[in-house]
């Protein structure tokens, strides 16, 4: 974002006076410091800023439970499977085996359960920050939670053949018009489940950069972002930080 386009660069003298008015003195008691955000914005001009000072509505009992899952007490895997179900993993395993036949002449016989283990290990690997993936299975740098669930050669075999769609089922026109055709079933599945979630009246739309330094035409550089290089996506945020 350019500095000229920044909201901060367009503040007037009146806006600066407003900021001075809402600042709290250091010598005030702790009880006086306990002021909510709604109290601070209540003195602003709603017509000018478009700020609604009405209190946020309380969460209803069926919020985000249209699919029958209690997200406040569910495990992360239960929440994850709400977006990618067993049918998707079966189709993913089938496409991976087809890819293996095309590449090597024989099937890898990958099961849906192995696909789930592979994805779980792939999500966990960046947390350790190893420079080489093979260090996970070596003696002195071994990570049991990964190495005990999938063998090294099996991990790389699945990694080299992983597919979510059969390339032969996609027309040449679709490959030219859709840059994300290789992962389109995955994106469509997640979007479908997102649209099924109930949303309150008050939402906020923002953008975020997914860090990525690989070779892809959709990669962007956005100056001023915490991770300036990557893929830009839009997010729908609720008042309790649910995305």
């Amino acid at each position: 974002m350019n500095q000229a386009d920044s909201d901060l660069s367009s503040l007037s003298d009146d806006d600066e006076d407003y900021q001075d008015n809402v600042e709290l003195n250091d010598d005030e008691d702790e009880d006086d410091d306990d002021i909510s955000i709604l109290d601070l914005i209540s003195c602003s001009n709603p017509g000018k800023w478009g700020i609604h000072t009405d209190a946020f509505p309380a969460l209803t009992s069926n919020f985000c439970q249209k699919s029958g899952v209690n997200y406040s007490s569910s495990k992360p895997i239960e929440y994850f499977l709400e977006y990618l179900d067993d049918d998707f993993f079966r189709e993913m395993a089938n496409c991976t085996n087809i890819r293996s036949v095309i590449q090597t002449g024989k099937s890898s016989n990958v099961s849906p359960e192995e696909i789930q283990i592979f994805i779980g290990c792939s999500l966990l690997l960046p947390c350790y920050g190893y420079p080489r993936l093979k260090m996970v299975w070596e003696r002195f740098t071994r990570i049991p939670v990964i190495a005990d669930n999938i063998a090294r050669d099996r991990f790389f075999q699945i990694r080299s053949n992983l597919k979510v769609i059969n390339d032969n089922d996609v027309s040449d026109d679709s490959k030219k018009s859709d840059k994300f055709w290789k992962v389109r079933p995955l994106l469509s599945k997640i979007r479908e489940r997102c649209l099924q979630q109930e949303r309150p009246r008050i939402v906020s739309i923002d953008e975020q950069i997914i860090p990525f330094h690989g070779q892809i035409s959709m990669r962007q550089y956005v100056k001023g972002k915490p991770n300036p290089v990557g893929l830009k996506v839009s997010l729908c945020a609720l008042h309790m930080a649910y995305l």
Side-chain angles (χ1 to χ4, degrees), residues 70-100:
N70 185 4
Y71 293 105
S72 60
S73 60
S74 61
K75 298 179 180 179
I77 185 61
E78 296 175 351
Y79 181 80
F80 180 83
L81 293 176
E82 276 298 302
Y83 291 87
L84 301 178
D85 53 17
D86 293 335
D87 293 336
F88 178 82
F89 287 112
R90 280 192 289 268
E91 181 63 23
M92 193 172 179
N94 182 51
C95 294
T96 301
N97 291 328
I98 293 176
R99 170 73 174 182
S100 177

Side-chain angles (χ1 to χ4, degrees), residues 19 87 179 197:
Q19 288 182 340
D87 293 336
K179 294 183 179 180
Q197 305 295 339

